[in-house]
Amino acid sequence: MAVTEPAPPAQPVAHEGILRRQSLRESAARTYARSLPIVPVRARGLTIEGADGRRYLDCLSGAGTLALGHNHPVVLEAIKKVLASGAPLHVLDLATPVKDAFTTELFATLPRPLADDARIQFCGPAGTDAVEAALKLVRTATGRSGLLAFTGAYHGMTAGALDASGGAADVRVTRLPYPQNYRCPFGAGGERGAELAARWTENLLDDPKGGVPAPAGMILEPVQGEGGVIPAPDGWLRRMREITASRSIPLIADEVQTGVGRTGAFWAVEHSGIVPDVMVLSKAIGGSLPLAVIVYRADLDVWQPGAHAGTFRGNQLAMAAGAATLSFVRENRLAERAATLGARMLGQLQGLAAAHRCIGDVRGRGLMIGVELVNPDSDDTQADVPPADPALAAAVQRECLRRGLIVELGGRHSGVVRLLPPLTLTDEQAQAVLDRFADSLEAAVSAPHLRHDTGPSQ
């Protein structure tokens, strides 16, 4: 089926029983299964085929994990090679040829000033494990316990990572304003808003009555993902680097979702030219398999043996798949491709926004794109911009699924439709994604009752 053809209608088949059993057996904490009631059985590149025979264009990509899409040949070949070799699959933190090849390839992609004087810690399998390691590292190295984090942040679901995220209920970190144009906390936006955010940070740290002792570190996302696809201004990132460096505060860049070409540079910090003290890496570095690491300046490496560990930090299949992915992205200049194609998609979406008042903002970097949906008819006359419309966003997501397009929601009020297609996206596929999104938006706007159709709950 060509990507521009409509998806065939769903047929009631065995997948309904699988979904029903999932609903009965799995935790109430499940998320994607609720809004995406499909049963994938085959996948390749951008396309997923469900047990019901329907085909979908996947712009979720494992929440940004699948840099090369599903089951890319170089990834499959790397995995098969390890399996056929008879090499051990579980090695704790022992050295192996597979691990050495992965580390060498990873270091070849890092910002040079960091790679030339770096250490790597292999963590548990998820990005949140790497965040925990980063926080533990800077606290150990500095002897301090406080942490600087930002509004709208998302760093994972374990305890320390949640503390640093924007939704923390029990705040044990100092929360700083993250600059954004559309909903600027200072009502300014642009360079002025970013300057005010930087000035607030600097003043708070230097105010003897500010209530903020010297912190162990600052953690930030170069582009906030779950926060609503909000790119940090390059100038502001440089200010954060200057502020932290001059005060001996380690700067942690969370590149779990932004890394491996996603934003149009191999690592998102490269847009601004900054070199963080610690980089948190996961998702795409494992080539679709679980892998998480932190890379950091050698002088921070003051841990004692066993100070940080994890049973599954030696995932050989993930390292092989990850090395193949890193190499493919680098050699085929997929970061540059993401920058070019992403800019084109942003332009088309901005054109769509001109015809739809319900699109408040279109933003992103590379193939990390967000469309914020709003209620333009709100009676809140005090607001600078209309409020988010999460009901409309949910309706658009359901209409996308009906048309064979998988998208994610994010943002402060889940009002942002997020597009995270693989970096291997073709021009034809990109147009199909945009066409299906435009049709879905039109359907949701034209039929208000769709906003109350919650669809199947699994």
Side-chain angles (χ1 to χ4, degrees):
M1 183 183 74
V3 295
T4 52
E5 293 176 6
Q11 300 296 322
V13 291
H15 79 287
E16 293 179 355
I18 295 175
L19 292 174
R20 183 171 62 254
R21 287 188 291 276
Q22 180 188 44
S23 179
L24 290 172
R25 294 169 176 169
E26 289 192 24
S27 162
R30 64 192 183 282
T31 53
Y32 299 108
R34 294 180 185 276
S35 57
L36 302 172
I38 62 177
V39 180
V41 294
R42 278 175 292 276
R44 187 64 173 260
L46 179 68
T47 304
I48 288 178
E49 184 178 331
D52 58 358
R54 295 194 68 200
R55 298 180 71 181
Y56 302 87
L57 304 183
D58 181 11
C59 280
L60 174 57
S61 297
T65 298
L66 305 174
L68 303 183
H70 294 275
N71 293 329
H72 193 281
V74 302
V75 172
L76 296 183
E77 182 59 31
I79 293 171
K80 290 175 183 176
K81 185 176 179 180
V82 174
L83 291 174
S85 73
L89 299 183
H90 191 285
V91 295
L92 296 172
D93 67 352
L94 300 179
T96 71
V98 172
K99 183 179 185 178
D100 182 62
F102 168 80
T103 304
T104 300
E105 180 61 42
L106 177 64
F107 273 47
T109 71
L110 295 172
R112 280 268 62 82
L114 179 60
D116 290 343
D117 181 42
R119 297 292 183 271
I120 185 170
Q121 169 71 24
F122 288 84
C123 308
T128 190
D129 301 314
V131 169
E132 296 287 352
L135 303 185
K136 186 175 178 180
L137 172 76
V138 297
R139 283 168 170 154
T140 301
T142 64
R144 304 189 290 260
S145 61
L147 185 69
L148 302 173
F150 291 87
T151 54
Y154 177 77
H155 298 292
M157 295 298 289
T158 50
L162 277 175
D163 281 347
S165 299
D170 180 16
V171 177
R172 287 176 282 183
V173 302
T174 298
R175 196 76 53 194
L176 301 169
Y178 192 93
Q180 47 180 315
N181 287 332
Y182 189 61
R183 298 189 185 277
C184 177
F186 303 103
E191 292 184 6
R192 178 58 177 162
E195 169 59 27
L196 290 171
R199 184 178 298 182
W200 176 281
T201 298
E202 197 164 24
N203 181 73
L204 188 64
L205 291 175
D206 292 343
D207 185 351
K209 296 295 185 180
V212 181
M218 172 189 285
I219 184 169
L220 56 78
E221 300 160 272
V223 181
Q224 287 194 341
E226 299 299 322
V229 192
I230 303 174
D234 292 339
W236 177 83
L237 277 174
R238 288 190 284 269
R239 283 290 301 279
M240 292 304 102
R241 176 67 285 188
E242 292 167 1
I243 288 170
T244 53
S246 64
R247 293 162 179 79
S248 299
I249 301 171
L251 177 63
I252 305 167
D254 182 342
E255 291 251 21
V256 168
Q257 190 168 98
T258 55
V260 194
R262 170 61 55 189
T263 69
F266 208 101
W267 306 105
V269 293
E270 293 177 317
H271 291 292
S272 63
I274 71 165
V275 179
D277 302 297
V278 185
M279 290 179 67
V280 182
L281 314 176
S282 187
K283 288 191 186 292
I285 67 163
S288 76
L289 298 180
L291 187 62
V293 306
I294 56 172
V295 181
Y296 51 92
R297 286 194 349 253
D299 63 287
L300 295 174
D301 195 34
V302 298
W303 275 337
Q304 295 300 308
H308 195 77
T311 302
F312 293 100
R313 56 190 153 151
N315 189 335
Q316 297 294 282
L317 293 182
M319 291 177 192
T325 297
L326 293 169
S327 176
F328 192 88
V329 171
R330 177 176 55 82
E331 293 175 359
N332 291 276
R333 306 177 68 87
L334 292 190
E336 292 90 332
R337 165 69 177 168
T340 300
L341 186 54
R344 192 184 309 156
M345 293 178 71
L346 278 172
Q348 287 194 237
L349 288 167
Q350 286 162 353
L352 186 65
H356 291 276
R357 295 172 57 237
C358 63
I359 298 181
D361 194 30
V362 176
R363 54 184 179 258
R365 206 156 202 177
L367 289 176
M368 190 172 182
I369 298 171
V371 180
E372 182 163 349
L373 300 180
V374 299
N375 178 5
D377 299 318
S378 168
D379 56 6
D380 184 358
T381 58
Q382 301 302 311
D384 294 327
V385 295
D389 194 338
L392 176 58
V396 169
Q397 184 186 44
R398 289 191 296 271
E399 288 302 303
C400 283
L401 193 64
R402 290 189 176 109
R403 288 162 175 77
L405 175 62
I406 297 172
V407 298
E408 186 179 13
L409 301 183
R412 266 52 166 194
H413 303 284
S414 296
V416 178
V417 179
R418 301 182 60 201
L419 299 176
L420 293 165
L423 310 187
T424 51
L425 189 71
T426 67
D427 291 350
E428 182 189 16
Q429 289 172 334
Q431 192 57 56
V433 166
L434 295 175
D435 288 345
R436 294 186 190 188
F437 175 77
D439 290 347
S440 301
L441 178 67
E442 188 66 44
V445 170
S446 301
H449 67 278
L450 293 175
R451 304 190 191 194
H452 306 293
D453 173 17
T454 58
S457 177
Q458 301 297 335

